[in-house]
Amino acid sequence: MKPDGTVYSPEFELVLACLRWPQEAVDGDRIRTLAQQPIRWSHLLEIVDHHKVVPLFSRNLDTFAPGYMPDVQAATLRAGSVANAHICLERTAHLVALHRLFREQQIDLRIFKGIPLAITAFRDPTLRDCGDIDLLVAERDIFKAADILENQGYLRFEPQARLTPRRLRSYLAHQKDFSYEHPAAGMVIDLHWRLFRNSFLPANARLEEVGEDWIHLGSERIATLPALRLLLYLCVHGALDGWLRLKWLADIGALLHTMTPEQLTSAATAAAEQQALPQFSAAILLCHDLLGYNSDALPDGCLDRNDRRVAHILRFGKRLLTSNQYRPIRERIASPQWFLNEFRLHRSLRYRLDLIERSLFRPRIWHTFDLPDALFPLYALLSPFESLGFHLRHRLAMFRRAVRPKPAVSAPAAQRTLLTRILFRRMMQLPAADIALAIEAACMLTFFRIALNFVPVRKLTAWMSRSDQARSSLSQEERAQTLRRIEWSIDAVVRHAPISFVCFPQCLAAYFMLRRRHIASRLFYGVTRDADQLKAHTWVKVGDHTLVGGEVESRFTVLTTFP
């Protein structure tokens, strides 16, 4: 069990175990133990790809647990890792060329994240998903730098709307970068004039304030952010974006291992000076909770879990990480949740007013409603309607993608497409009774997922203790069929629902669905020790048959049963 009592799926646990670096810090025995469990390898690959950690996961799995992954999935993983290495080589050459062009035009810049971060944290650029390229220049040089990119064939795609003088003033005041893409190379560059959007965030900085460090790419000496500034940037960036990607956490974990205790103490001091200590502390605690970073090595001055802002960052980040079957999607998170997350990170009045103003004048709306500058204030009134329309369009697009098979692009993709078609046809052929049972399971799961946040567990278990006087009139064969159908309905909803359900709401749903049919069952609560941590799990049994949670029950010692 993690420190907050969360039990993750075996696939997610294996991914987390393979994201530590350097390899001296990796628990190889744990990786081998997890790899021997029943793993849905296709689902695991989806998690790894979604979180952009293919190279690091592949390296550690091949080193500590070779041969456990099936051949098809192993080939897919190796292909992804090799492709990333080739892209890194191409982008290294491109970075060097861009750096020379900027220097020739006497534009000072810092190249951060991407390949410079991989070299600083991992000492190997191919161990990190190369992603896009982030350039930081002075605001006075932003248009000169944009001209260089456009002369090299880059096209601006964010913001999409034309920039009138009034829109440009708003964009420069409330945003942080322009985004460009090269149509032929597929390379994306974010051209920054500051690190974060909110100019009143104390951890924010412009080119003149970030300092500089140097790395070597071939014969070229490239300016990047100093390690301490880079670490604080990653911590604040992760908190603002809800830790949607494990890639960001792996970066911080690797970077922490490169620092001495004195450097970490200096980082904590700098975080306190920049009022980013909650974000810094939460990032280290997340590395401890998820990646096994040594909590005894926490630098002096860090805040604990009881701090309100630290607790919020941990709670929000872990909730997002486990959403959508451990593949969180930004657009599925409601805009008010993003707003409240950012609102709570800093208490300054100017910071919060800037956040409100940015929310009312989103650049996205300029593309939808092309108002003249004289009517620019009207965007504040149109913004809520545009936001609602944006999320409705996104949900509709998701539904269309779900019911429309995608064209095959490779052998594994062809297998997934065929499976999707079969599942869709099967869903259309389900009898009304099965559809009703799935709806019942969805309602039960949703109810108990919400109830566990507001109703004391003692009251829920008290409901279970009420005796059921009625006896089941089902025959033995009908009883076995009912058990199979309830097990199927819960599993189907859990696998396809847009929200995640841990073991406890699954077990409560199964127990009460059985109780409605007068079938006696027992809910088991057990614990086990994993390294220095205590892990909890629940499962439901009818007689000797485990209905829910049976895949790992043998690892747990039973503490109590209900009723």
Side-chain angles (χ1 to χ4, degrees):
M1 183 175 66
K2 300 301 182 186
D4 62 351
T6 306
V7 177
Y8 299 118
S9 72
E11 294 82 12
F12 194 63
E13 290 277 14
L14 180 55
V15 171
L16 294 176
C18 289
L19 296 189
R20 302 178 188 177
W21 196 261
Q23 288 193 327
E24 292 77 13
V26 177
D27 187 345
D29 291 335
R30 176 164 172 76
I31 291 177
R32 283 186 289 274
T33 299
L34 290 169
Q36 293 172 18
Q37 293 186 10
I39 297 289
R40 294 175 294 165
W41 292 103
S42 296
H43 178 56
L44 180 142
L45 285 183
E46 291 175 359
I47 295 174
V48 169
D49 182 65
H50 181 86
H51 286 280
K52 309 296 182 187
V53 290
V54 168
L56 182 57
F57 177 85
S58 178
R59 177 75 64 87
N60 280 331
L61 189 69
D62 285 345
T63 301
F64 296 102
Y68 285 95
M69 180 178 282
D71 292 341
V72 173
Q73 286 82 6
T76 303
L77 187 66
R78 282 194 296 271
S81 188
V82 170
N84 182 74
H86 285 303
I87 294 172
C88 283
L89 290 175
E90 293 174 0
R91 295 197 177 174
T92 298
H94 198 79
L95 267 180
V96 170
L98 275 178
H99 187 263
R100 288 172 179 167
L101 284 172
F102 276 64
R103 289 299 187 188
E104 287 172 2
Q105 297 297 319
Q106 298 182 338
I107 298 177
D108 194 14
L109 81 159
R110 305 288 183 272
I111 303 175
F112 64 105
K113 295 202 307 185
I115 291 172
L117 171 56
I119 293 173
T120 302
F122 298 97
R123 305 292 190 258
D124 181 351
T126 65
L127 271 181
R128 186 181 187 273
D129 184 275
C130 47
D132 52 14
I133 297 172
D134 291 84
L135 307 179
L136 176 65
V137 301
E139 187 172 336
R140 65 176 180 275
D141 293 328
I142 195 72
F143 298 109
K144 193 175 177 182
D147 289 340
I148 293 176
L149 294 178
E150 290 170 0
N151 290 336
Q152 294 298 308
Y154 283 87
L155 300 176
R156 193 189 77 204
F157 68 89
E158 186 62 38
Q160 297 179 4
R162 64 186 180 91
L163 291 176
T164 63
R166 182 65 185 86
R167 292 176 184 175
L168 180 60
R169 290 202 305 274
S170 176
Y171 196 88
L172 292 176
H174 302 296
Q175 304 298 323
K176 60 182 173 60
D177 58 18
F178 294 120
S179 295
Y180 292 83
E181 183 175 17
H182 197 288
M187 199 170 300
V188 174
I189 290 180
D190 291 331
L191 185 61
H192 293 251
W193 54 92
R194 58 173 168 259
L195 295 180
F196 302 106
R197 288 181 294 185
N198 197 312
S199 57
F200 298 104
L201 183 68
N204 210 344
R206 298 177 181 270
L207 179 77
E208 301 81 9
E209 304 163 325
V210 297
E212 65 182 356
D213 201 356
W214 300 90
I215 61 169
H216 287 87
L217 294 179
S219 59
E220 194 77 6
R221 193 164 173 253
I222 303 290
T224 186
L225 301 186
L228 291 185
R229 170 67 73 174
L230 182 60
L231 176 61
L232 291 182
Y233 167 80
L234 294 173
C235 295
V236 177
H237 173 271
L240 288 170
D241 281 7
W243 295 106
L244 278 174
R245 293 284 184 272
L246 286 173
K247 172 185 177 180
W248 307 334
L249 207 58
D251 292 339
I252 291 176
L255 204 55
L256 289 172
H257 279 286
T258 67
M259 295 183 171
T260 64
E262 292 75 17
Q263 288 174 319
L264 287 174
T265 301
S266 298
T269 303
E273 292 172 352
Q274 297 175 26
Q275 301 180 45
L277 195 56
Q279 294 92 321
F280 178 73
S281 303
I284 294 182
L285 289 170
L286 278 171
C287 285
H288 167 247
D289 293 352
L290 301 178
L291 304 185
Y293 179 74
N294 182 12
S295 60
D296 295 334
L298 289 176
D300 294 335
C302 278
L303 302 174
D304 61 24
R305 300 173 190 274
N306 297 322
D307 180 85
R308 187 171 63 181
R309 282 183 289 174
V310 172
H312 161 71
I313 295 169
L314 294 175
R315 184 171 57 252
F316 187 68
K318 290 181 180 181
R319 179 162 61 85
L320 262 58
L321 273 177
T322 56
S323 65
N324 192 36
Q325 297 291 295
Y326 304 100
R327 296 162 298 170
I329 298 175
R330 176 182 293 276
E331 290 76 14
R332 286 194 181 184
I333 313 301
S335 295
Q337 292 188 44
W338 287 117
F339 177 87
L340 290 174
N341 173 60
E342 195 166 344
F343 190 84
R344 291 166 177 162
L345 291 180
H346 190 60
R347 299 168 182 168
S348 163
L349 178 61
R350 291 194 299 175
Y351 167 87
R352 291 180 170 179
L353 289 175
D354 185 271
L355 176 59
I356 293 170
E357 188 174 350
R358 190 179 81 223
S359 300
L360 293 175
F361 296 98
R362 292 187 182 94
R364 193 176 64 210
I365 197 174
W366 304 339
H367 185 69
T368 307
F369 302 101
D370 190 7
L371 300 180
D373 279 359
L375 299 178
F376 187 83
L378 288 180
Y379 283 124
L381 300 177
L382 296 172
S383 182
F385 299 100
E386 187 277 337
S387 179
L388 178 61
F390 171 81
H391 286 285
L392 287 175
R393 289 193 302 272
H394 177 75
R395 293 299 176 97
L396 182 60
M398 286 173 54
F399 175 75
R400 287 173 176 169
R401 285 196 298 269
V403 300
R404 183 185 303 159
K406 297 180 182 179
V409 295
S410 63
Q415 294 175 0
R416 290 195 297 270
T417 301
L418 179 61
L419 180 61
T420 302
R421 289 175 178 170
I422 293 172
L423 289 174
F424 182 73
R425 286 200 299 267
R426 184 177 178 185
M427 183 181 69
M428 293 296 99
Q429 297 168 358
L430 283 176
D434 285 347
I435 295 175
L437 188 65
I439 292 173
E440 179 186 354
C443 292
M444 285 282 193
L445 286 164
T446 304
F447 170 78
F448 285 114
R449 188 180 190 273
I450 296 171
L452 285 169
N453 291 318
F454 300 98
V455 180
V457 174
R458 185 173 61 254
K459 183 171 290 187
L460 291 174
T461 55
W463 294 348
M464 301 170 68
S465 301
R466 295 176 182 174
S467 61
D468 184 8
Q469 302 295 336
R471 292 180 176 273
S472 174
S473 60
L474 299 175
S475 66
Q476 189 171 357
E477 183 177 349
E478 290 173 333
R479 176 189 171 96
Q481 184 180 8
T482 301
L483 294 180
R484 286 193 298 269
R485 293 179 66 240
I486 291 176
E487 186 175 2
W488 163 82
S489 66
I490 291 175
D491 180 68
V493 173
V494 168
R495 282 189 290 112
H496 298 293
I499 57 177
S500 61
F501 299 95
V502 295
C503 58
F504 203 11
Q506 291 183 48
C507 289
L508 289 171
Y511 176 85
F512 282 98
M513 289 177 73
L514 291 166
R515 185 185 177 96
R516 285 190 66 243
R517 291 156 179 84
H518 309 297
I519 298 176
S521 64
R522 296 182 72 83
L523 189 150
F524 292 77
Y525 181 89
V527 296
T528 188
R529 183 167 293 281
D530 187 358
D532 60 339
Q533 299 174 347
L534 202 62
K535 182 179 289 187
H537 183 56
T538 57
W539 61 97
V540 169
K541 300 184 77 169
V542 177
D544 294 327
H545 175 68
T546 304
L547 200 74
V548 175
E551 61 274 4
V552 293
E553 69 171 282
S554 59
R555 295 167 45 199
F556 293 82
T557 301
V558 176
L559 285 184
T560 187
T561 61
F562 304 97

